[in-house]
Amino acid sequence: MRFTIERMRTLVLAAGVLLVGALVLFLAVGKLKNPLNLKELPKRLGVDIQQEANGYTLSHAFGAHSQYKIHASKVVQLKDNRAILHDVKIELYDTAGGRVDRIEGAEFEYDQKTNTATAAGPVEITLMRPGVAPAIAPKAAPGHAVANKGKSQPLAAAAETASTGEVHVKTSGLTFDQGSGVVTTSQRVDFSMVQGTGSSMGATYDSKEGTLVLDRAVELMTKRAGQTVEIHATHADFEHASQECRLHSATADYRGGVATAVDAKIQFREDGSVIRLDALNGFTLTTSNGGHLTAPKGSMDFNGHNQPRRGHLEGGVQMDSASESAGQSRKMHGTSPAMELAFDAKGDLRHAHMERGVEMHSEELNQPAASNAKGGPLRVSRTWRSPIADVDFRKGGQGQLEPAKMTGAQGVVVTGESQRGNGAIVPSRLAADAVTGEFGPGSQLTAMTGTGNASLEETSATGTRETANGDRLTVQFAAGTIGAAGSPTANRAARDSNGTGQIQSGVLDGHVVLIQQPAAKPGAQAEAPMRATAGHAAYEGTGQWLHLTVSPRVEDGGLQLTAEKVDVSQESGDAFAHGNVKATWMNTGTAGAASEKSGQKGDVALGGKGPAHAISSEAQLHQATGEATFKGHARLWQDANSVAGPVIVLDRQKQTLVSHSTDPAEPVRAVLLSAGGPAAVPDTGKDSGKDAAGKSAAPSVIRVRGGDLKYSDAERKAVMHGGALGTVVAETGTASSVSNEVELRLLPPGNHAGRDGGQAQVDGLTARGHVVLNSGGRRGTGEQLVYTSETGEYVLTGTIATPPRMTDPTRGNVTGEALIFHSRDDSVSVEGGTTKTETTAPK
């Protein structure tokens, strides 16, 4: 967001409005304490005139010092009670005799009947600023004393001080009323001093009340910080007693814009410097680059050098700005009930404080370069809301003031939306107890830091909604206005690739909680959200990855996973775990179509109902497919059943498990509980724990190892292939086999032993392809071996060309159509055609 509050800096130039009063009021300030008492002039014209070599001089003393002197080259007394004074120069002194103000005119006329004196032509007035040395250099000009400082430095310095403190006034038609003590003119009044020049149409000075009024068309031209400021007002008046100047409809024009106030009140010090400026009934500031600031009223305090110290705006501050550059446009609107301003020693704005509900809204439009026109323009909007906000300013390019940092407190919420072309709108939300925003060149927002209950919410273009919470959040935004090389091409490339104002990276620390809600699929319920916790999270805008460290934990449906590090893709919702991965599934009882309809990922394990566990070096969780992949010495188990291998892939939607290996040193291993033990125990009415043969009735396990394993929970079947390892080895409690593949059949759910039938058991096993069977010292070969857990029998068959063969150490070789090994009594049955041969091994 480009917070253009920096344009408030020009509020300082509104202080130039003060100078209207300051410069004009020097006309009064210079002698308001000691006004010229012209009532005595007519009386003395005929009494105290002394003829000198160069004319006539009239003096009026006050104690030991002169109060004023009037010089005239010639005085003419007329018959109609009028007197004419030629080449008049009036010098006015303070009570200590230390100042000289001068009024000069070619001709004055005094009317004794009306007690008025009128200047027949132009009048020039020179007033000294209070406190400046007097007549040591009455004709000094600024800079002149410096050139002659080698002759008399003290005198030159005094002359320079005197000249720079002078105010020069020119007018005509001046009239003085002896009875009221009021001096008026309806003509143009021009005044000048070192700080600037100005004028007004008509002026009135009341010597008794100490008030000065500039009637209309007040104008002032001055310079501040090397810039010309032109000030206009429809009316101005000054009161000596209160040292206040009031301006109506005041406007200050300067290179940076225009500042206006319906009514302005200025309070001065004794030396003429400004103490305070109050703007009433509406204040407006408009900058040349689109900034607009308004407030019903405001005030500003100044130091002794007329530099602003602090300011206050209230009644509802409104801030607006608009700017355009190559391929980019911005708009900003802000509101605050009140605003406090602080300035540095040079009068530049350094800090702004807003409170009682602050809102800043910005909109940006970035047109793509021609090479990326397919993407369409990028629109980004952002809104800041906080009860309190503080902005620090700094000087940017070309000396322009721009924001450096913005801080919000007592609960800050920053919402945003971005849209590329006609694509989906991607919303975002950042919130914290306190938020600090940092700005780069060009007032571009570059970073935000939130502390205390920090949260970040974003929705990807695919509809995945992600929420992250923590104690502290730091976000870096993509650059928008300055490219790598600073060129327009680089700038456009940066905007097209990154997206102005988009999050580039972020860090979340302390009690991190991430919730990711996938978009609902058509015709299906919303999927269960993924929830992750960690001590530290780092967001990477490129690829939209979130990296979780410091004891990360992920919960996805019935899955719970921990690792040393977890990476989560915001775009796809996929998660990747690294280092010491541990996972647990808490089965929900949903599977297949039921799981898709309910929005769950479905149960997956090894046929049981209890929790399933997995460990590995790495893991991948694919949100869209519900597939989980474990790599690096992976092992998965449920109750007594387990699978181990280099890679294990679980599909929770298809309810399948796949494992494969290409390393003979690490084959795929499956250990499954056999249903043979408990099922073979006859019901004798006694719990002996042994079968009829007196052997242990405890459940046995079947161990299978090979190259590839696939298990389908819907089919209740697991198939192991030799794969890259070539053969499959299966071991039961009574025999072992080697073959090309092995198929394991599990009992239907609930139709087996264990609490509530929850533990899956193998119903049977089928080995195919180059089968070799070893049992009790016998060795059999064939093409297929079928083992039934319930009977404990192994049926070995072959082909017509190659019938099964058994080698017995004591009986020799036996062949037939089928060889049946009876594990419970260690016997072998041979079947062939219509004959049956039976061989019993000796006990």
Side-chain angles (χ1 to χ4, degrees):
M1 178 187 305
R2 186 182 179 219
F3 296 108
T4 54
I5 308 172
E6 70 274 17
R7 290 164 185 161
M8 293 186 301
R9 77 180 248 315
T10 52
L11 180 62
V12 178
L13 295 179
V17 177
L18 322 162
L19 297 179
V20 175
L23 299 179
V24 176
L25 297 175
F26 278 130
L27 297 173
V29 170
K31 282 303 297 178
L32 282 178
K33 291 185 177 181
N34 302 288
L36 174 62
N37 189 356
L38 297 179
K39 294 180 180 180
E40 302 180 6
L41 178 60
K43 299 178 181 180
R44 297 183 180 273
L45 285 177
V47 178
D48 294 331
I49 296 178
Q50 299 178 4
Q51 184 170 2
E52 299 178 351
N54 58 349
Y56 299 88
T57 300
L58 171 65
S59 298
H60 176 76
F62 185 84
H65 303 282
S66 296
Q67 186 174 5
Y68 59 80
K69 289 183 179 180
I70 301 177
H71 303 272
S73 62
K74 183 179 180 181
V75 177
V76 177
Q77 182 68 46
L78 304 180
K79 295 181 179 179
D80 53 357
N81 295 320
R82 291 183 298 118
I84 304 298
L85 284 73
H86 296 278
D87 299 330
V88 178
K89 180 171 70 174
I90 305 173
E91 296 178 349
L92 303 98
Y93 302 84
D94 62 12
T95 55
R99 287 177 48 204
V100 177
D101 293 337
R102 298 187 300 274
I103 302 176
E104 298 177 272
E107 182 177 300
F108 278 82
E109 178 182 315
Y110 179 74
D111 190 333
Q112 298 180 14
K113 293 180 179 180
T114 61
N115 293 326
T116 59
T118 304
V123 176
E124 294 186 7
I125 305 172
T126 302
L127 302 179
M128 299 289 290
R129 178 171 57 85
V132 174
I136 42 179
K139 294 295 185 180
H144 177 75
V146 176
N148 299 280
K149 63 181 180 180
K151 298 180 179 179
S152 177
Q153 292 186 1
L155 183 61
E160 178 69 15
T161 302
S163 62
T164 56
E166 290 181 349
V167 179
H168 301 276
V169 182
K170 293 182 179 181
T171 186
S172 61
L174 189 68
T175 300
F176 172 73
D177 188 311
Q178 176 183 346
S180 63
V182 175
V183 179
T184 61
T185 179
S186 60
Q187 303 301 311
R188 179 184 177 91
V189 178
D190 294 295
F191 50 90
S192 64
M193 59 185 301
V194 172
Q195 291 88 342
T197 61
S199 65
S200 71
M201 290 301 296
T204 301
Y205 171 61
D206 190 328
S207 60
K208 292 182 179 180
E209 299 295 332
T211 61
L212 173 67
V213 176
L214 302 179
D215 292 337
R216 62 192 184 278
V218 181
E219 296 182 0
L220 172 67
M221 296 290 291
T222 186
K223 287 186 177 293
R224 189 181 185 279
Q227 298 183 3
T228 299
V229 181
E230 184 176 345
I231 302 171
H232 303 268
T234 59
H235 184 81
D237 61 81
F238 177 79
E239 293 182 2
H240 170 67
S242 61
Q243 292 288 297
E244 286 184 356
C245 174
R246 294 181 176 84
L247 303 174
H248 183 67
S249 298
T251 301
D253 294 321
Y254 51 96
R255 189 179 64 179
V258 178
T260 63
V262 176
D263 292 291
K265 182 175 69 174
I266 308 166
Q267 187 173 2
F268 294 91
R269 295 180 179 86
E270 289 292 335
D271 62 358
S273 62
V274 179
I275 299 176
R276 182 182 174 90
L277 164 67
D278 290 288
L280 307 173
N281 302 320
F283 169 80
T284 301
L285 175 67
T286 303
T287 64
S288 60
N289 51 5
H292 194 72
L293 173 69
T294 62
K297 60 180 179 179
S299 62
M300 190 172 296
D301 296 331
F302 296 81
N303 60 20
H305 300 286
N306 285 335
Q307 300 288 5
R309 297 169 53 217
R310 55 181 175 268
H312 174 75
L313 300 174
E314 63 178 56
V317 183
Q318 301 274 344
M319 295 159 283
D320 294 277
S321 69
S323 63
E324 292 187 3
S325 59
Q328 185 179 47
S329 63
R330 287 192 182 96
K331 293 182 179 180
M332 191 280 291
H333 175 73
T335 61
S336 175
M339 181 182 295
E340 302 289 339
L341 306 175
F343 301 83
D344 61 14
K346 295 181 179 180
D348 291 326
L349 182 61
R350 282 295 175 260
H351 184 81
H353 173 78
M354 295 166 282
E355 57 184 27
R356 303 200 300 272
V358 182
E359 180 172 318
M360 298 285 183
H361 178 77
S362 70
E363 294 183 1
E364 299 180 8
L365 177 62
N366 300 276
Q367 297 290 346
S371 59
N372 193 31
K374 294 182 179 180
L378 174 65
R379 298 175 178 86
V380 178
S381 66
R382 188 172 288 110
T383 301
W384 169 301
R385 294 183 179 91
S386 64
I388 297 175
D390 290 272
V391 183
D392 293 330
F393 296 88
R394 64 166 178 260
K395 280 194 175 182
Q398 299 180 351
Q400 295 293 321
L401 217 59
E402 61 184 20
K405 182 173 66 175
M406 180 173 182
T407 303
Q410 298 183 8
V412 183
V413 177
V414 182
T415 58
E417 288 184 349
S418 62
Q419 182 183 26
R420 173 71 73 177
N422 295 323
I425 297 176
V426 180
S428 63
R429 182 181 186 273
L430 184 151
D433 293 343
V435 174
T436 299
E438 298 180 6
F439 298 85
S443 303
Q444 179 67 44
L445 182 65
T446 59
M448 274 191 179
T449 300
T451 56
N453 300 308
S455 66
L456 176 64
E457 298 179 11
E458 284 199 318
T459 301
S460 67
T462 60
T464 299
R465 182 174 178 267
E466 185 174 279
T467 302
N469 299 276
D471 296 337
R472 178 184 174 88
L473 172 65
T474 301
V475 175
Q476 302 289 331
F477 294 96
T481 57
I482 297 183
S487 64
T489 302
N491 296 341
R492 293 289 294 277
R495 292 197 298 268
D496 294 341
S497 61
N498 296 328
T500 305
Q502 297 292 78
I503 295 177
Q504 186 177 50
S505 63
V507 174
L508 195 60
D509 283 304
H511 306 92
V512 177
V513 178
L514 168 69
I515 298 177
Q516 193 173 71
Q517 177 66 64
K521 297 180 180 179
Q525 296 182 9
E527 297 183 14
M530 182 188 72
R531 185 178 187 272
T533 60
H536 176 84
Y539 174 76
E540 177 188 337
T542 305
Q544 296 185 329
W545 285 99
L546 186 66
H547 308 288
L548 305 176
T549 55
V550 188
S551 303
R553 181 184 182 89
V554 176
E555 298 178 6
D556 189 7
L559 170 65
Q560 299 176 358
L561 179 144
T562 63
E564 295 177 0
K565 179 183 179 182
V566 177
D567 300 327
V568 180
S569 171
Q570 185 187 33
E571 183 175 2
S572 65
D574 296 344
F576 297 81
H578 309 275
N580 194 24
V581 178
K582 299 178 181 179
T584 297
W585 283 268
M586 304 301 295
N587 284 337
T588 60
T590 58
S595 67
E596 293 182 8
K597 185 176 180 180
S598 65
Q600 300 292 328
K601 299 296 190 301
D603 296 339
V604 63
L606 294 173
K609 293 184 178 180
H613 311 276
I615 59 173
S616 63
S617 299
E618 297 183 352
Q620 301 177 6
L621 306 179
H622 298 281
Q623 184 78 15
T625 63
E627 192 175 82
T629 302
F630 297 87
K631 297 181 179 180
H633 308 295
R635 180 172 180 265
L636 182 145
W637 70 95
Q638 183 182 41
D639 297 324
N641 300 332
S642 66
V643 173
V647 179
I648 297 177
V649 181
L650 299 174
D651 192 320
R652 289 182 283 169
Q653 291 183 0
K654 297 180 180 179
Q655 299 293 288
T656 61
L657 179 152
V658 175
S659 181
H660 57 86
S661 172
T662 59
D663 184 3
E666 189 181 7
V668 177
R669 300 176 183 270
V671 179
L672 302 174
L673 186 66
S674 174
V681 179
D683 187 6
T684 62
K686 296 181 180 180
D687 187 9
S688 63
K690 295 180 180 297
D691 61 12
K695 296 183 179 181
S696 173
S700 62
V701 296
I702 298 177
R703 303 176 187 274
V704 183
R705 64 179 183 272
D708 300 293
L709 172 67
K710 181 177 181 180
Y711 167 75
S712 171
D713 194 65
E715 299 176 357
R716 306 290 290 179
K717 182 174 65 176
V719 179
M720 179 79 79
H721 295 277
L725 276 63
T727 60
V728 178
V729 177
E731 298 176 350
T732 67
T734 56
S736 65
S737 68
V738 178
S739 61
N740 291 343
E741 70 174 41
V742 169
E743 178 183 297
L744 300 168
R745 298 177 302 280
L746 275 63
L747 289 171
N751 188 22
H752 43 80
R755 177 183 293 181
D756 300 326
Q759 183 168 256
Q761 295 182 4
V762 176
D763 183 35
L765 174 153
T766 300
R768 300 183 182 92
H770 302 92
V771 178
V772 177
L773 173 67
N774 291 281
S775 176
R778 305 180 188 91
R779 184 176 185 273
T781 60
E783 286 300 316
Q784 178 173 291
L785 174 67
V786 177
Y787 167 72
T788 304
S789 298
E790 184 177 1
T791 63
E793 293 182 348
Y794 298 85
V795 180
L796 180 63
T797 59
T799 64
I800 298 176
T802 309
R805 175 183 293 273
M806 183 192 71
T807 301
D808 188 292
T810 59
R811 303 290 185 179
N813 298 327
V814 179
T815 63
E817 184 176 335
L819 302 178
I820 304 174
F821 292 75
H822 303 278
S823 62
R824 293 183 179 179
D825 59 3
D826 290 334
S827 64
V828 178
S829 298
V830 180
E831 296 182 354
T834 59
T835 62
K836 179 179 181 180
T837 302
E838 205 173 273
T839 301
T840 303
K843 300 296 183 182

